[in-house]
Amino acid sequence: MEKRVVFRSSWLPWALIAPQVVVITLFFFWPAAQALVQSLQQSDAFGTSVEWVGFENFVNLWNDATYLASFYTTAVFSVSVAVVGLTLSLLLAVFADRVVKGALAYRTLLIWPYAVAPAVAGVLWLFMFAPSVGVVSYTLRKLGFEWNHLLNGNHAMTLVVMAAVWKQISYNFLFFLAGLQSIPKSLIEAAAIDGARPWRRFWTIVFPMLSPTTFFLLVINIVYAFFDTFAIIDSATQGGPGKDTVILVYKVYYDGFKAMDLGGSAAQSVILMVIVVALTVIQFRFVEKKVNY
Amino acid sequence: MVERRPLLTAFTHLVLILGVIVVAFPLYLTFVASTQTSQAIVQTPMPLLPGDQLVENYTAALTGTGGGAGAKTPVGRMMVVSLISALIISLGKIAISLLSAFAIVYFRFPYRMFFFWMIFITLMLPVEVRIGPTYKVVADLGMLDTYAGLTIPLIASATATFLFRQFFLTVPEELLEAARMDGAGPIRFFKDVLLPLSATSIAALFVIQFIYGWNQYLWPLLVTTNENMYPVVIGIKRMISGGDSEMQWNIVMATAMLAMVPPALVVILMQKWFVKGLVDTEK
Amino acid sequence: MASISLKNVVKRYGNGKSVNQVIHGLSAEIGDGEFVVVVGPSGCGKSTLLRMVAGLEEISEGQIIIGNRVVNDLEPSERDIAMVFQNYALYPHMSVFDNMAYGLKIAKVPAAEIRARVDKAAAILQLGQFLERKPRQLSGGQRQRVAMGRAIVRQPQVFLFDEPLSNLDAKLRAHTRLEIQKLHRELGITSLFVTHDQVEAMTLAQRMIVMNDGVMEQFGTPEEVYARPATTFVATFIGSPPMNLLKNAPGADAGTIVGIRPEHLDITADGWALVVDAIETLGAERLVYGRWAHGSGDELMTIRCEENVPVPTLGSTIHVTPRADRLHYFDAATGKRK
């Protein structure tokens, strides 16, 4: 929809839009272009010599076992975060939607993890599971389960997944709750009159009606797991043990700033950009469909 | 609820209370740890009830007198850095987004759609995927270890612009016509009509962006090397990089509490706008 | 006060191949202090016409003159006009007082005078006790009055009304019609009032412009428009139920359409023979729908009867006679009155 009546001025709109355009040009388009250029270059660790290498950086990545492993790690990580996070928050939202009294209190108590910084979330969970002092790892040991995420890659992955899910649960919860509340009451009542009991009503009426929300959250959660969880991983495991929790973003950072492989890091950035753009396109295709529906 | 099922209602509350406990347990534990001596924490199992060191630990953290590996910088200073950065990011984003959304919705000018798409594309790429080159730009501009370097690159995103654009499109056209009848020019209309009407959206966006700014991690990690410019989130990370056993967990946890309180307060106190804003922004 | 003259006004949208012309060279002279209603079905261009006078739409061709100024290139606020919008367009965050005062404040009218003018308008519209309220705290009718108040305080040369009653319920609409008439009597300001409702048009207008498809079909007093409709469109658009148009009336020339209003047909002992298809009882009167079968096809006719006329039975044949002086003749090809 466009406005019918608009203001006329030859200079004002330019002046209004200028600050944003300057900022995004300087800190967005220029760096993105640089990433593209660098991904086709090779420079030594001191940045004294630069040469064009074409797609060599990409070829190297393709042949780099640790990069492919990082893809695998990212896939495991993001699918786990999305599936576990969505399931738990849907469960909570469905029950919160049933509550008449105290709904606001529950909501308040469930939304605050949204405010917690991912890095802090990582530290909190690290503290609970620290092999020497952690309360949970102690309890597990008492129960006969030896927890050590410093040595066991699966434990480390579980730890970062839990921290990431915990941090994201409030976001998912709010969207599911909003989705549930927008389902017309009359539909549920009609199903009840048709004799459907709560469990059946959920699977035949509520869940299908929620599918747009669920799909939207799925994409958002995958993007979240791809990018926003850097801080959780860096504070909880630093990618360890070994490289068992090195996700793609972590590797971009590590290769670019620790290993000083600018070309390789830039090539990884470009691949990440392609992934995000693909995810965004999927999401927009879907949103369009939803509008028609 | 459609029918009365007392058992189901009881079960509902049970599930929710369990959920709340699981969600809140890390916070509770953090609080408990922040009130203990560091010796009490290392002896397993650590006490599960608050201790008596609350004032001591928080004073130590805030003033940076706690000792230990990385706890030299006062957390008080870090919180000031976090607060200033979060405010610049949230207010800066809101300001430039309001202006550009106003231009895009209420004016017709050459290349309007070009700019629209230019801003739109930035929606897709988070700062994480272009950190290297962005870092270089900031370094070349001499903005390392400055508030400008900490904040301006994070302002370069379009979420807020799109929220405002969506909102402006829902403002009835007749209001603009009435304002023109009344002789209001663009600036006047923006100030007297559009801005007051956007108050709720602005509040919602403020909450979301304040938290976004406060919780930044990767970016400050790169552009700050001077301890005086560490935001509190980075401060915590520096404290725990010392190693498992020699860490002053009580001070770290007090710092973690301090890092969580301001954004949590913002979310809880502004819950109404936050929830509305969050759901509206993304849909 | 001022007159309005529209000189060959054209409005078209788009350019190049996709030109869409919505007003085709309309000319009219509206006298100083006159109350003119523009009426027509939706999409006929009546709102566009009003918005061109207001300055909210550009004029593609022709001239609009208010008073003795050509206003084509003037901003709305420079045209010395005020407008009442269909949805009232009140600023939701301002009080009633501020809503009315906003234009005056921009025009830098001294505060004391703003106060005086708003108070006076509020007194006329009985809004005095609501001045500090926000629009959302008012009923629909009160909001409508605030919208009128905002127009009044500006003391303009011309009032423009864009379907201002369409959001009110039937009872309030009738009441507000009377108020608008009274207001016009008191202030005597030239008014242009757009509506799609013919009852509103008939009751409010001193003269009315009937529009269809971007063309002015007729410009005259309500009596003229009713008694001597200029085209078949006007004949069917004004009057309810609409005029019967007979393509094959006995005695008429070929190529002539004969029109007769339902209220000008009498049931008589002989005359045109109709089969009764349906009857609607409206209380004071009754509508009889009849089918007249003759050589070249059926003609459908509506007859409006007083309640004292005996009710015909469905399916029976009745005879009707038109009142001779109430017959209208139109050219079948052009639709124009002969």
Side-chain angles (χ1 to χ4, degrees):
Chain A
M1 195 190 90
E2 297 269 313
K3 295 274 176 196
R4 205 164 42 179
V5 179
V6 289
F7 290 113
R8 270 166 293 184
S9 169
S10 52
W11 60 273
L12 192 57
W14 301 94
L16 291 171
I17 207 168
Q20 178 142 29
V21 169
V22 168
V23 171
I24 62 175
T25 306
L26 204 52
F27 296 106
F28 184 90
F29 285 100
W30 177 249
Q34 286 293 302
L36 279 175
V37 171
Q38 280 174 10
S39 70
L40 304 174
Q41 291 176 335
Q42 189 76 261
S43 62
D44 63 33
F46 307 102
T48 45
S49 74
V50 174
E51 60 172 318
W52 288 89
V53 293
F55 289 99
E56 202 182 304
N57 287 318
F58 292 96
V59 175
N60 288 343
L61 283 178
W62 181 249
N63 293 325
D64 178 359
T66 62
Y67 187 65
L68 298 182
S70 166
F71 250 104
Y72 176 73
T73 307
T74 311
V76 170
F77 177 68
S78 45
V79 169
S80 311
V81 168
V83 170
V84 177
L86 290 183
T87 311
L88 288 179
S89 40
L90 178 59
L91 183 80
L92 288 173
V94 166
F95 282 105
D97 188 42
R98 295 185 57 86
V99 166
V100 183
K101 274 183 196 154
L104 187 69
Y106 283 124
R107 195 178 78 179
T108 310
L109 287 169
L110 286 172
I111 64 167
W112 63 268
Y114 178 86
V116 177
V120 175
V123 173
L124 259 51
W125 284 78
L126 175 66
F127 178 62
M128 290 195 295
F129 283 87
S132 56
V133 301
V135 173
V136 180
S137 56
Y138 171 81
T139 315
L140 288 173
R141 201 156 46 241
K142 284 274 166 217
L143 295 170
F145 185 88
E146 198 58 41
W147 173 275
N148 194 336
H149 65 260
L150 297 178
L151 298 174
N152 185 322
N154 289 335
H155 292 180
M157 178 56 87
T158 311
L159 176 65
V160 289
V161 167
M162 285 190 295
V165 165
W166 177 77
K167 157 89 188 110
Q168 189 68 357
I169 229 170
S170 28
Y171 185 92
N172 298 337
F173 171 78
L174 282 175
F175 274 89
F176 275 133
L177 194 60
L180 286 167
Q181 284 168 350
S182 69
I183 296 177
K185 274 273 173 294
S186 56
L187 232 85
I188 314 275
E189 284 161 359
I193 290 168
D194 286 341
R197 321 244 304 185
W199 180 252
R200 200 187 166 105
R201 281 205 300 268
F202 177 77
W203 287 111
T204 53
I205 312 282
V206 176
F207 192 70
M209 296 284 289
L210 268 185
S211 62
T213 311
T214 312
F215 185 84
F216 163 81
L217 283 175
L218 190 65
V219 175
I220 290 288
N221 274 265
I222 287 175
V223 172
Y224 161 78
F226 261 69
F227 303 107
D228 297 343
T229 50
F230 171 86
I232 294 179
I233 292 191
D234 194 43
S235 60
T237 65
Q238 283 97 44
K243 300 258 179 221
D244 284 348
T245 51
V246 170
I247 59 168
L248 291 168
V249 172
Y250 197 85
K251 194 163 161 58
V252 172
Y253 161 77
Y254 187 85
D255 289 356
F257 286 86
K258 297 278 157 119
M260 295 311 273
D261 173 14
L262 284 183
S265 173
Q268 294 179 32
S269 290
V270 171
I271 293 173
L272 275 181
M273 288 186 207
V274 172
I275 293 174
V276 197
V277 170
L279 281 172
T280 316
V281 169
I282 292 174
Q283 191 182 336
F284 270 90
R285 294 298 291 264
F286 175 74
V287 167
E288 265 167 37
K289 236 169 58 192
K290 190 171 72 175
V291 171
N292 293 335
Y293 161 80
Chain B
M1 229 174 298
V2 182
E3 66 267 82
R4 287 181 54 83
R5 286 171 183 264
L7 246 139
L8 189 58
T9 304
F11 182 65
T12 300
H13 285 278
L14 189 74
V15 169
L16 286 171
I17 289 167
L18 229 83
V20 168
I21 289 175
V22 171
V23 165
F25 183 69
L27 178 75
Y28 175 74
L29 204 65
T30 308
F31 175 71
V32 170
S34 75
T35 61
Q36 305 285 354
T37 61
S38 63
Q39 290 79 4
I41 297 174
V42 250
Q43 52 173 262
T44 47
M46 69 167 263
L48 286 178
L49 290 173
D52 53 2
Q53 299 295 306
L54 186 130
V55 178
E56 290 81 348
N57 288 345
Y58 282 83
T59 317
L62 280 171
T63 56
T65 52
K72 295 290 185 292
T73 325
V75 174
R77 164 71 200 169
M78 296 181 191
M79 290 181 73
V80 171
V81 174
S82 285
L83 181 69
I84 294 178
S85 311
L87 284 177
I88 297 180
I89 290 172
S90 47
L91 298 178
K93 233 181 197 179
I94 288 170
I96 67 170
S97 303
L98 271 171
L99 295 180
S100 56
F102 179 54
I104 286 177
V105 174
Y106 284 99
F107 289 88
R108 293 289 170 275
F109 54 98
Y111 306 114
R112 188 176 70 100
M113 289 318 279
F114 169 77
F115 285 120
F116 176 79
W117 284 106
M118 184 173 168
I119 296 172
F120 186 79
I121 287 174
T122 64
L123 266 182
M124 300 185 188
L125 299 181
V127 71
E128 282 79 4
V129 306
R130 52 191 160 86
I131 40 170
T134 313
Y135 173 81
K136 188 159 181 311
V137 171
V138 171
D140 289 348
L141 292 173
M143 299 199 320
L144 296 181
D145 284 322
T146 64
Y147 282 114
L150 266 177
T151 55
I152 298 178
L154 299 173
I155 291 178
S157 109
T159 8
T161 313
F162 278 83
L163 175 70
F164 285 129
R165 175 177 171 271
Q166 291 308 108
F167 175 73
F168 289 169
L169 287 178
T170 66
V171 171
E173 200 135 355
E174 290 184 335
L175 279 188
L176 169 61
E177 295 176 348
R180 282 186 71 191
M181 287 281 175
D182 278 336
I187 306 275
R188 194 98 207 206
F189 173 72
F190 181 72
K191 182 170 74 75
D192 290 348
V193 180
L194 218 45
L195 218 49
L197 289 179
S198 314
T200 314
S201 306
I202 292 175
L205 211 61
F206 174 78
V207 181
I208 293 167
Q209 298 299 339
F210 182 86
I211 287 161
Y212 168 82
W214 183 280
N215 289 348
Q216 276 305 310
Y217 179 74
L218 176 56
W219 185 247
L221 191 64
L222 297 177
V223 297
T224 57
T225 50
N226 179 346
E227 292 207 345
N228 268 327
M229 288 305 290
Y230 282 171
V232 63
V233 173
I234 301 295
I236 294 177
K237 160 70 180 152
R238 300 280 180 199
M239 283 182 194
I240 62 163
S241 42
D244 196 5
S245 49
E246 61 214 84
M247 246 183 281
Q248 301 249 342
W249 276 111
N250 55 338
I251 308 292
V252 174
M253 287 299 145
T255 311
M257 287 300 292
L258 289 170
M260 281 189 284
V261 166
L265 276 183
V266 169
V267 162
I268 289 169
L269 294 181
M270 296 176 79
Q271 185 177 165
K272 199 176 95 195
W273 295 290
F274 160 68
V275 171
K276 184 185 174 306
L278 194 67
V279 177
D280 286 356
T281 323
E282 305 286 359
K283 279 218 164 153
Chain C
M1 303 309 133
S3 57
I4 306 171
S5 77
L6 309 173
K7 297 203 162 147
N8 209 17
V9 173
V10 171
K11 177 70 190 178
R12 59 178 90 82
Y13 291 105
N15 44 34
K17 276 180 200 160
S18 60
V19 174
N20 178 19
Q21 186 156 332
V22 295
I23 292 181
H24 313 279
L26 191 149
S27 299
E29 297 290 329
I30 293 158
D32 188 0
E34 202 175 7
F35 198 110
V36 171
V37 176
V38 184
V39 65
S42 54
C44 71
K46 58 189 188 300
S47 278
T48 309
L49 183 69
L50 187 81
R51 293 165 57 79
M52 284 201 286
V53 177
L56 297 171
E57 298 274 359
E58 289 190 27
I59 300 157
S60 309
E61 253 178 58
Q63 276 188 333
I64 294 180
I65 299 166
I66 298 176
N68 38 29
R69 288 188 306 167
V70 177
V71 296
N72 284 36
D73 298 320
L74 293 183
E75 277 290 302
S77 54
E78 298 163 347
R79 296 188 179 194
D80 210 355
I81 52 175
M83 182 153 165
V84 179
F85 292 88
Q86 182 171 7
N87 299 318
Y88 318 138
L90 302 179
Y91 307 117
H93 57 292
M94 294 186 195
S95 67
V96 169
F97 180 89
D98 289 335
N99 261 289
M100 295 209 254
Y102 186 58
L104 301 180
K105 279 181 188 159
I106 290 179
K108 303 211 163 56
V109 174
E113 193 186 337
I114 295 181
R115 183 87 240 177
R117 285 210 219 169
V118 172
D119 282 344
K120 191 173 160 212
I124 296 175
L125 297 164
Q126 294 154 12
L127 284 170
Q129 59 199 1
F130 305 120
L131 284 179
E132 297 313 316
R133 295 213 190 154
K134 295 279 170 64
R136 65 167 179 280
Q137 297 165 301
L138 301 178
S139 69
Q142 289 163 344
R143 284 180 211 179
Q144 206 276 340
R145 294 213 297 275
V146 176
M148 296 217 293
R150 179 163 69 180
I152 293 173
V153 294
R154 301 191 48 194
Q155 303 179 346
Q157 302 274 20
V158 173
F159 276 149
L160 304 174
F161 297 88
D162 189 6
E163 309 224 12
L165 307 182
S166 58
N167 286 340
L168 301 178
D169 63 43
K171 202 172 153 197
L172 203 52
R173 204 179 311 157
H175 176 73
T176 312
R177 271 203 317 255
L178 293 176
E179 281 196 347
I180 291 179
Q181 277 182 327
K182 185 163 143 248
L183 207 62
H184 182 250
R185 268 201 311 277
E186 281 168 17
L187 303 174
I189 294 174
T190 316
S191 301
L192 203 52
F193 186 109
V194 162
T195 180
H196 64 274
D197 179 348
Q198 50 143 330
V199 177
E200 230 166 84
M202 295 295 281
T203 50
L204 278 170
Q206 290 176 330
R207 283 199 297 162
M208 59 203 274
I209 293 173
V210 185
M211 279 184 76
N212 184 34
D213 274 342
V215 170
M216 184 168 81
E217 300 264 339
Q218 189 166 8
F219 186 14
T221 63
E223 293 77 13
E224 284 167 1
V225 171
Y226 175 77
R228 296 181 53 79
T231 62
T232 48
F233 172 79
V234 178
T236 47
F237 189 74
I238 302 293
S240 172
M243 184 185 284
N244 298 305
L245 293 179
L246 311 176
K247 294 193 182 68
N248 303 296
D253 310 338
T256 297
I257 293 175
V258 174
I260 179 76
R261 291 197 183 275
E263 52 269 42
H264 301 145
L265 282 169
D266 295 313
I267 298 181
T268 46
D270 52 1
W272 300 345
L274 306 181
V275 179
V276 177
D277 272 348
I279 300 170
E280 280 178 352
T281 304
L282 303 176
E285 60 197 26
R286 197 171 281 126
L287 300 179
V288 178
Y289 296 91
R291 188 160 33 86
W292 181 23
H294 59 75
S296 30
D298 290 0
E299 302 260 22
L300 296 176
M301 253 188 266
T302 313
I303 305 121
R304 187 176 190 163
C305 312
E306 300 291 318
E307 58 181 332
N308 54 7
V309 175
V311 191
T313 37
L314 280 177
S316 67
T317 300
I318 55 170
H319 296 272
V320 296
T321 308
R323 297 180 199 162
D325 58 337
R326 298 296 196 147
L327 283 169
H328 307 265
Y329 299 94
F330 302 97
D331 186 317
T334 62
K336 293 232 163 69
R337 188 177 189 87
K338 273 191 174 172

